[in-house]
Amino acid sequence: MAPPTSSAVTLHINGEKYTLTVDHRTTLLDALRERLDLTGTKKGCDQGQCGACTVLLDGRRSVACLQLAVAAEGREITTIEGVADGDRLHPVQQAFLDLDGYQCGYCTPGQICSAVAVIEEHAAGWPSAVTEDLRPEAEAPALTADEIRERMSGNLCRCGAYAQIVRAVARAAENVTDEVKEPVA
Amino acid sequence: MREFGYQRAHDVAGAVALLGAAPDARLLGGGTNLVDLMKAGVERPGLLVDVRDLPLDEIRATADGGLRIGATVSNSDLAAHPAVRRHYPALTQALLAGASGQLRNMATVAGNLLQRTRCGYFADLAKPCNKRAPGTGCPAVTGDHRNHAILGASVHCVATHPSDMAVALAAFDAVVTYETADGPGELPLDAFYLPVGDTPHIETALPAGAVITGVTLPPVLAAAHSRYRKVRERASYAFAIGSVATALDVRDGVVRDVRLAFGAVASRPWRARAAERVLVGGPADADAFAAAADAELAAAEPLPGNRYKVTLTRNLVVTELARLAEEATR
Amino acid sequence: MTTTTGSSSATGATGAGRTRVEGRDKVTGAARYAGEIPFAGLAHGWLVLSTIARGRVTAVADEPVLAMPGVLAVLHHGNAPRVDADYVGMLGRPNPVVGLFQHDRVPFTGWPVALVVAETSEQAREAAEALVVGYEEEPHDVAFRAGRDDAYRPEDSPMVQADAGKGDVRAQLDGAAFVVDAQYTTPEEHHCTMEPHAATARWDDGRLDVIDSNQGSGWVAAEIAQLFSLDRDSVRVRSEHIGGAFGSKGLSAHQVAAVMATTVLGRPVRVVMTRRQMFSLVGYRSPTAQRVRIAADADGRLRAFDHEALNLTSTVHEFVETSAVLGRVLYDAEAHRTRHRVVRLDVPTPTWMRAPGEAPGSFAIESALDELAEKCGIDPIALRARNEPATGPVSGLPFSSRNVLACFEEGARRFGWADRDPRPGLRREGRWLLGTGTAAASYPSGVGRSTAAVTAEADGTFTVRINASDIGTGARTAMTLVAADALQVNPDLVRTRIGDSDLGHAMIAGGSTGTRSWGWAVRLAAADLRERLALGGGIPPEGITARSDTADAIDALPQQERHSFGAQFAEAAVDVTTGEVRVRRLLGIFAAGAIVNPLTARSQLTGGMTWGLSMALHEEAVRDAATGGHVNADLAGYHVASHADVPLVEADWVDDPVPGDPVGIKGVGEIGIVGVAAAIANAVWHATGVRHRELPIRPDRVLRAAGETPGA
């Protein structure tokens, strides 16, 4: 007998519970956008190649386009709609707004979710591909422009707002060094 | 993407049983490669067995001083683990050079080993491909093969294996362990990936119905002085066009142990044993490094569009070994 | 020389940096794009594209697919509603791809052959994959290269003058002290907007309502009306937020498919392109093969300037990539010749892509100028200064304003150009060879007729209605600021409505014309309103509205050469053992008229420069000769620059007043990309001594070049 091809699931999103029946083929991205009207998470490529659909799964950044909704049951999901504290923007959101860390805005929710996680991953001592000293006892690298750029590289921005995004992430991380100082505007 | 069933396995025996019950079942780990290929129509499973909840997410030291890595450990957890950073830094570097932060959080160790090639012909149902549809031909041989294999390929397939992690594991003699209905088994990484020959669609020696349980790294003294260097067509978030994992143990100017593996040059991580043989017992200098690289790359059969990979790989071997040798003298 | 980064207007609304009025919506995910507006009973359409490059469709096996779960309809050439694609729209005849399912011919791989509509997107995708389409295949030819003997001279049109020239090029070449004669190529490049093309269509009380992602909702509405033979007023197109466009978002197959399906099914239908489909359906920048011949006197003065550019187009529609127009503006010479040639292949039709013409053209001529500077032993900036024309080199018309030398002067100062040793291959830092390069930039400052309405509301606020499109430019914010300035009120009191074809006619967001065109209309209406309000009297409940139409004012503009200018500076690091190239610094100084909002203008300029970097080092769509389709039609195979590739790009501007111009705004959407690839290629030469005349400058090419160059 063929197994069932859909399941009832309960998804925990931004502190709320959502119960729905999903076709097993439905990705978390499509469940958010087409079933739950949470359209802040964007579909850029649907192949894990652009980062526009970045959400936090159990606090870790992930691409929702390659995450099946049925397999997301039991995990805490945070989308861009759940990043702010009520009406008060998250420091990353505020920095993107103030420093123009975007243009068309389509990659922005993914960039912001990713940046929130990057700041936490860095604080947790995770190295990156540009970290020179990998020894566990080594002092954690500063979140320099190069570190931010490498860690944010899974989020493409075709408008080319990278320079502004790096400055915004640095400001939100309270790590504004001379190299990422903001231009006069 | 066709409709499919979904089951979550909670222990290894359960996963083996579910996988064995349906011929078109596939294991779902992070999904970063499988779900993508399902969307493209390349993979069409009838049942997905979700293995993310299996109790295989531990990294622990083995009695002999090696490391035991569970199959479902995420790529990011493995990269950040203190024992890996201390004893096998090339493995951390390889992992961090792969994909993106998001994908590394999702991807598992076993899934990384089993990922399919990123050849553009393989991923497109409108084009022939012996790996995807045996017998249809390999258009890359005469078509676009800028990023295809120079070592160990055949006229049937010139695709490369995309993993960075597996290149570092190959350098350190990693062993893949698995469970089947008939009991456990293991395969050294060298034997895990099969030669291309005329069966490019059969990629590993893993028995049908096997569930990978983990990877064991033996203690490798040289691995503490190891590096992974990757070259790609943009500075990050791209597959390798050339990479080398290197480890070097030099004492009194003599090479005691050396490990060399290449990425992006073959259908599997390419352990450069010929090069290693040239170096062991000899001096750790630029001439020796160049001779070693040439010894390995003598077997290269580049296509017109990827000759640069021979130069690139040779240059990487020489500069990376030189850097390790220099660090050893500090 | 002073740079203007402060206020340049009476009340300070324009000229001061303002964050985007929709910024909060964009950073919280509240901003809804075209595929994100919910409708009850929405059905999902999935396009099926041809897998052959040339031939005809012999059969579409729709019966088995119609029996699949959730499938509502399969549209194809055998059953689709008839449309009339033989019309002339605002930009000429439409791309024939919008004549969806009207015949059985297949002119390229990726041509739409069917649309499957189903209850859910998962069902639609599976059904589309299962649909068996039969073909009769014919031999195809997709091989673009220089020297094809079937290249032809395109007809002149209002948008393209194929050839222009004066003097005897041959004679001047023969008598010159220095000659550069080089071939440059640029590859097929794609827009790759982050938001895929998406449209939702429905019939609403007798009107066709289309939620779409485009760069001109009035433009798309008019084309849909023409295509479907509808009254213009019975079509409404809305585009509130647009996830990037860059020239790719006009009428395409997805809106047509959605309109056909909603007409057939009587329920709302959404069609979203997949990333892979975008590579064959929404246009791209044609590859180019360009020959540049420049001859100069011993002192560097140009005697001959000859630029011939070849691009490809499809067999069904002509598109000319106007690569050679840049030389008609930048440089004069005794003999001056610029020519365009086109070859027809079995490929999709190319289209406008950010700085169409100027982007690939500047790579060729600004590289050639650098090669000439090397030969003459003259500094590249001095060479350009020596050849600065007084009037349009071909037209003879005066420039409205031309401050390119001021850009070089300011850029050189900030970049530290004066300390540069011109000799190549001398600077090393670890494994990196370092070099610097520069290039000039220019892009036309056009304008198109627009209408606007500005209303003084009874509550003391103001509403601006202008059918602008904010494709990421900050248009909504810019129009708010322009209106506030003209009204002399605080911008917080002004609300701006854009992106709705019901708002009336306005120019599209394209060719750097938007801010100038819309700003003009808004300024006229706001100024009129301010005069009426100055008369006193109360404001009635419906408010007081002033309207404008810029048609007459545009007609009254004197004939001039109107362009933005700029100077690009790059520092590149090259590892010749791995072929890696990194751009360490990018600085662009521009002369682009009045800057409305420095914050967003700087973003547009640095965004364009980032495109230039991506073009220089990364982008190339590779077409497989055997199947005629791409082998890298996704964002893992088609590389655009990522975070790690891009330094803290800097852009700024010099004073650029435009005497007598009623607006003074020039536009900044395209100028940022122009010249960047050349500046980087020139920097790579300066680092390594190797000229790269083929883009992108990728590791394989750098390694090959290093292998071919003794001593490198």
Side-chain angles (χ1 to χ4, degrees), chain C residues 121-198:
Chain C
S121 58
E122 291 85 5
Q123 292 166 336
R125 176 174 56 203
E126 171 62 5
E129 202 177 297
L131 184 70
V132 175
V133 178
Y135 298 100
E136 186 179 286
E137 207 172 342
E138 297 166 13
H140 64 261
D141 182 357
V142 299
F144 177 78
R145 61 174 182 275
R148 280 194 67 123
D149 58 12
D150 50 352
Y152 67 95
R153 173 186 166 164
E155 293 281 320
D156 285 350
S157 74
M159 305 187 63
V160 181
Q161 184 190 350
D163 290 10
K166 62 178 183 184
D168 185 340
V169 169
R170 187 72 263 164
Q172 294 295 337
L173 284 168
D174 288 345
F178 300 105
V179 173
V180 170
D181 181 352
Q183 182 89 26
Y184 302 87
T185 67
T186 63
E188 178 178 330
E189 296 159 350
H190 286 253
H191 308 79
C192 297
T193 60
M194 293 308 297
E195 180 203 21
H197 295 56

Side-chain angles (χ1 to χ4, degrees), chain C residues 428-448:
Chain C
R428 178 179 281 279
E429 185 184 299
R431 66 189 179 96
W432 300 104
L433 292 170
L434 305 180
T436 53
T438 188
S442 175
Y443 194 79
S445 171
V447 68

Side-chain angles (χ1 to χ4, degrees), chain A residues 23 25-27 30 33-34 37 39-47 49-50 52 80-81 84 86-89 93-94 96-100 102-109 111-112 145 148-150 152-167 179-181 183-185, chain C residues 5 17 19-20 22-24 26-29 31-33 35-36 38 44 120-123 125-126 190-196 242-244 246 270 275-276 353-354 471-472 598-600 602-604 606-608 610-611 614 619 633-636 638 640-644 646-650:
Chain A
D23 185 323
R25 294 173 294 188
T26 305
T27 59
D30 285 338
R33 289 168 60 84
E34 292 179 12
D37 202 33
T39 56
T41 307
K42 303 305 182 194
K43 182 184 284 190
C45 69
D46 214 23
Q47 296 174 287
Q49 298 169 353
C50 79
I80 188 66
E81 290 92 344
D87 283 343
R88 207 163 58 93
L89 295 180
Q93 291 173 309
Q94 190 67 50
F96 270 66
L97 200 164
D98 291 342
L99 298 180
D100 214 41
Y102 52 30
Q103 289 177 43
C104 80
Y106 199 78
C107 74
T108 309
Q111 300 273 0
I112 289 173
I148 293 170
R149 279 194 279 260
E150 164 55 29
M152 290 293 294
S153 278
N155 292 83
L156 300 180
C157 166
R158 185 50 161 165
C159 294
Y162 293 129
Q164 289 86 338
I165 293 171
V166 168
R167 290 190 180 100
E179 62 169 347
V180 289
K181 68 179 184 297
V184 183
Chain C
T5 48
T19 59
R20 291 169 201 253
E22 77 283 9
R24 195 179 175 91
K26 283 184 172 171
V27 300
T28 58
R32 284 184 189 260
Y33 294 74
E36 301 174 347
H44 298 262
T120 71
S121 58
E122 291 85 5
Q123 292 166 336
R125 176 174 56 203
E126 171 62 5
H190 286 253
H191 308 79
C192 297
T193 60
M194 293 308 297
E195 180 203 21
I242 300 132
F246 315 117
R270 178 179 297 158
R275 181 57 60 180
R276 184 174 287 276
M353 180 165 141
R354 203 166 194 173
I471 56 178
L599 184 70
T600 53
R602 180 171 280 112
S603 289
Q604 269 193 281
T606 55
T610 302
W611 268 60
S614 192
E619 296 183 38
D634 60 35
L635 293 176
Y638 183 88
V640 300
S642 73
H643 268 288
V646 181
L648 291 167
V649 179
E650 283 187 84

